Amino acid sequence: MNIARAELGAVKLEELRFDNRYGRLPPDFYTRLSPTPLPNPYLVAFNPAAADLIGLAPEEAERAEFAEIFCGNRLLPGFDPLAAVYAGHQFGVFVPQLGDGRAILLGEAAGAQGRWDLQLKGAGKTPYSRMGDGRAVLRSSIREYLASEAMHALGIPTTRALAIVGSDQAVIRENIESAAVLTRMAPSHVRFGSFELFSSRRQHEHVRTLADYVIDQHYPQLREARAPCLELLREVIGRTAKLVAHWQAVGFCHGVMNTDNMSILGLTIDYGPYGFMEGFDWGHICNHSDDGGRYAYNMQPRIAHWNLYCLAQALLPLVEVEEAESALGEYEGQFEQNYSGLMRTKLGLATTQADDAALLQDTLKLLHDSRADYTTFFRRLGNFDSAPGADNAPLRDLFADRDAFAVWAGRYRVRLALEASTDAERKPRMDRVNPKYVLRNYLAESAIRKAADERDYSEIARLMRL
Ligand code: AMP
Ligand code: MG
């Protein structure tokens, strides 16, 4: 067993190799500090797939030290804990200084496919905590853990989650809840807001230092370009367009698309009041405090574009205005191209036809008018019987307006006939892109309730297997 483990490169906790290149940036970028200890930590969830990314042997999670380390009570050799500082536009309003108010970056662990930041979320107060207590609660930690791994399983760029450690320490929210620490992993946690901080302070040297750092660590292929910072902006625009196209296609609402929650790597980051679309509603708002619907489902593509403007603005010390504007002008086309490509595969279409955009809009309108379940619709569409006269009852029954469905089904049948696909050939193709399961709210809720009320973590593990 031990030999096999060594061959696979899986190591013990003490054998992990850490570095913290972010900690070698100038002191204005962060505050070094240790996590605040938590009493009686215990393991709530452990994700072997994330452990594998850094070569950590899964048995290590069974050691008592594991919970001590990943709640911040004990530091491993090589950890260099720090809280990063950033700024950001929150609900459209610029906040000159935010930062890791409850997250602490421990360092980067080297894995077979690169380095991963290990960050403890909920590890205690930092100089950026403002009015907050520096803690995360068990409920939100489970929600982030499950969602980030669900997104990964769906092929959507995201931060990952290594583990949740719980504690009996009470935390006051609307109710009394218990504290937990989520270990989050990403190649980088740099946000649009990291650039906005230095730009708004007119610390242009720091903007350059951060851009150089991001390029060197994460976009090394841009180093030799004529204008590397412009190319960085273009890369981030392209990745963000692709990310949001994925969100729209799978029906994911982020809920808090502030620029401090936008990743410079185009990852889904900071899972808060997110939601997966159930009954389809263009204007679905998942964040109860988002009264104006700024971050509603159908606003997400535009908001991402707006956020990219903020990033471009922050990069202006390094990029020509006209070039930045021209790069931003490419966003919409990139989003549309990604989104329509994803939706074409969801509809099972193998070719592109002139009316496809209209078909897609009308499909979504049909769904919206009946508030039909988004995921179920596309999954059942894989079983569509294109024979004339077929009633397609399982699909039809999702709609209140059966006549509207019949008209739509007739049109879809005609569209399918324009290409040489068969029902049998189309189904497996559609099943690969139309998920059977998404992380519906009630699923996450049942896992949270069992964990919080009974300390029964089996539902979290079951959902992870799904
Ligand atoms: P979020 O909306 O989760 O992205 O958080 C926005 C800002 O508030 C970030 O700077 C967080 O670090 C900070 N923050 C959120 N919750 C807390 C908390 N409980 N304690 C301290 N800071 C927090
Ligand atoms: Mg945040």
Side-chain angles (χ1 to χ4, degrees):
M1 179 65 188
N2 278 339
I3 294 167
R5 212 174 72 182
E7 279 169 358
L8 286 170
V11 302
K12 291 168 131 341
L13 286 163
E14 293 78 4
E15 294 163 346
L16 287 171
R17 287 286 156 266
F18 288 98
D19 191 4
N20 195 350
R21 292 173 299 181
Y22 200 85
R24 292 201 287 277
L25 289 168
D28 283 352
F29 284 62
Y30 49 79
T31 298
R32 278 209 159 76
L33 83 171
S34 289
T36 308
L38 271 179
N40 308 321
Y42 47 86
L43 188 65
V44 170
F46 169 72
N47 179 8
D52 188 52
L53 296 170
I54 55 171
L56 177 66
E59 309 87 272
E60 290 294 285
E62 291 156 24
R63 294 171 54 189
E65 290 93 330
F66 187 92
E68 292 283 344
I69 292 164
F70 292 103
C71 79
N73 287 0
R74 184 194 283 221
L75 298 182
L76 282 172
F79 278 1
D80 179 15
L82 60 84
V85 58
Y86 45 84
H89 281 83
Q90 297 191 311
F91 290 89
V93 178
F94 185 65
V95 183
Q97 194 214 282
L98 295 159
D100 293 332
R102 54 174 166 169
I104 290 184
L105 176 64
L106 297 172
E108 295 166 291
Q113 285 132 39
R115 297 165 176 236
W116 291 86
D117 275 4
L118 294 191
Q119 195 195 57
L120 301 182
K121 187 167 176 179
K125 279 190 188 168
T126 79
Y128 317 116
S129 300
R130 299 184 294 170
M131 311 301 279
D133 56 9
R135 291 299 177 195
V137 299
L138 182 62
R139 131 183 308 277
S140 64
S141 303
I142 294 174
R143 277 176 53 86
E144 173 152 358
Y145 179 87
L146 290 174
S148 60
E149 290 306 306
M151 293 290 266
H152 174 71
L154 292 166
I156 302 175
T158 177
T159 58
R160 303 292 301 275
L162 176 66
I164 302 173
V165 175
S167 162
D168 297 333
Q169 179 151 315
V171 177
I172 301 167
R173 295 289 183 266
E174 276 166 31
N175 301 310
I176 305 277
E177 301 198 40
S178 63
V181 176
L182 173 84
T183 303
R184 184 156 76 173
M185 291 175 36
S188 171
H189 286 83
V190 172
R191 301 127 193 280
F192 293 9
S194 313
F195 287 92
E196 291 179 279
L197 175 85
F198 297 124
S199 167
S200 70
R201 290 180 176 173
R202 303 193 190 288
Q203 291 175 309
H204 293 174
E205 264 323 294
H206 284 347
V207 179
R208 178 172 295 285
T209 300
L210 185 60
D212 285 343
Y213 168 83
V214 169
I215 291 170
D216 287 344
Q217 311 302 346
H218 305 291
Y219 297 95
Q221 73 282 10
L222 307 181
R223 196 22 79 221
E224 301 310 319
R226 172 187 64 85
C229 294
L230 171 64
E231 294 310 316
L232 171 65
L233 176 63
R234 297 183 60 184
E235 274 284 331
V236 180
I237 290 170
R239 288 196 192 193
T240 304
K242 190 170 168 186
L243 176 71
V244 179
H246 272 291
W247 288 358
Q248 299 307 103
V250 79
F252 175 80
C253 298
H254 183 283
V256 204
M257 289 177 69
N258 294 335
T259 56
D260 53 300
N261 290 338
M262 296 293 291
S263 152
I264 204 71
L265 299 182
L267 309 173
T268 313
I269 186 170
D270 261 3
Y271 293 83
Y274 71 83
F276 285 87
M277 185 74 79
E278 299 191 17
F280 186 77
D281 173 1
W282 305 105
H284 177 63
I285 302 168
C286 63
N287 182 349
H288 295 307
S289 57
D290 183 10
D291 297 325
R294 179 180 173 86
Y295 298 138
Y297 170 76
N298 59 352
M299 291 292 288
Q300 296 190 125
R302 261 179 285 170
I303 289 291
H305 198 188
W306 192 90
N307 289 345
L308 287 161
Y309 264 90
C310 295
L311 175 66
Q313 175 87 38
L315 287 172
L316 281 185
L318 312 175
V319 179
E320 297 295 332
V321 180
E322 297 77 21
E323 291 188 318
E325 278 177 348
S326 139
L328 288 163
E330 286 168 33
Y331 168 84
E332 261 182 80
Q334 292 181 357
F335 169 78
E336 277 307 326
Q337 193 186 355
N338 279 291
Y339 178 65
S340 59
L342 290 168
M343 296 311 289
R344 180 174 304 115
T345 64
K346 286 181 76 68
L347 286 167
L349 306 179
T351 64
T352 307
Q353 303 287 339
D355 282 347
D356 286 353
L359 174 67
L360 173 59
Q361 282 314 300
D362 293 347
T363 306
L364 295 178
K365 183 174 184 312
L366 183 79
L367 287 166
H368 177 88
D369 288 347
S370 286
R371 298 295 192 274
D373 188 90
Y374 185 74
T375 304
T376 309
F377 170 77
F378 281 103
R379 188 71 186 185
R380 289 190 189 169
L381 190 62
N383 292 320
F384 187 81
D385 181 348
S386 62
D391 64 4
N392 284 296
L395 202 55
R396 180 198 64 199
D397 292 347
L398 295 173
F399 298 93
D401 185 346
R402 290 191 170 195
D403 294 338
F405 173 76
V407 171
W408 179 87
R411 182 164 168 209
Y412 182 59
R413 182 181 301 118
V414 169
R415 172 61 185 84
L416 292 178
L418 292 180
E419 53 193 52
S421 66
T422 62
D423 292 353
E425 172 272 331
R426 204 167 48 245
K427 178 178 162 54
R429 189 152 51 75
M430 292 175 73
D431 282 355
R432 275 197 296 279
V433 294
N434 291 322
K436 190 167 180 183
Y437 303 107
V438 290
L439 185 66
R440 293 174 189 276
N441 240 339
Y442 82 90
L443 292 172
E445 279 307 311
S446 74
I448 290 165
R449 217 169 314 118
K450 278 195 171 158
D453 299 348
E454 302 161 37
R455 285 204 180 189
D456 172 354
Y457 309 126
S458 58
E459 187 64 10
I460 303 175
R462 191 182 73 85
L463 290 175
M464 288 288 281
R465 285 194 298 276
L466 282 182

